[in-house]
Amino acid sequence: PPAPPPPEPTLPPPTPLPLPDIWPRPDPAAPPSPLQIDEVAYRGGEYIVLINSSAQAVDLAGWQVGDAAHPGDAEAMAALPDAARIPAGGAYIVARSGAGFTTRWLAPPDAQFEPTADGVPTLAPDSAHPGGGFALDDGGDEVVLLSADGVLADALCFGDGDCAALGLTRRLDAPDGLALQRVAGP
């Protein structure tokens, strides 16, 4: 009889690559990201408004938003919906609670972190950057926007947030009941 075939070699399970200590930064010579964080409300009724500052629509496939100052920390990073687009000059609103946002503003957000409103897409946690749930700390936190290639597209920190982790030198803060909003500057 023929000899039995040699046993298949068994490979050890893959070792996950370690996450970097900081979010990858864009090339300083590259043009600025077409998507930017325009507004952040963090005291009661948390939401983030993203704007498309370019003259062309931007597909959100692969883009991520959250409050993780470092890759893999205990805070959330979530993938924006693959099928969503922001038209040129348009805005996209992501609320922590779609139902809460709708009650307060009488219109639904474009997406939500917590599945509270029917018909509003719920962002999926990013499996490459596992963390906790999205919740902005009133005393200080960070908001991070990653491009489709995983590069830091925009960020802000407020209060006691970890500005240094994001390469930021200035802390922001908003009075109770008001949101932080981007303003054009010199």
Side-chain angles (χ1 to χ4, degrees), residues 1-9:
E8 290 285 326

Side-chain angles (χ1 to χ4, degrees), residues 21 29 66 127 139:
D21 292 333
S127 60

Side-chain angles (χ1 to χ4, degrees), residues 96-127:
R96 179 175 177 188
S97 165
F101 185 92
T102 302
T103 298
R104 181 169 185 183
W105 300 105
L106 305 178
D110 296 297
Q112 59 189 348
F113 280 97
E114 298 172 357
T116 60
D118 292 337
V120 175
T122 300
L123 302 184
D126 177 49
S127 60

Side-chain angles (χ1 to χ4, degrees), residues 39 46-51 60 80 86 90-96 101 105 107-113 120-121 123:
E39 185 175 348
E46 298 170 12
Y47 63 86
I48 300 166
V49 179
L50 304 176
I51 59 165
L60 295 183
L80 292 167
I86 303 177
Y92 191 86
I93 301 170
V94 181
R96 179 175 177 188
F101 185 92
W105 300 105
D110 296 297
Q112 59 189 348
F113 280 97
V120 175
L123 302 184

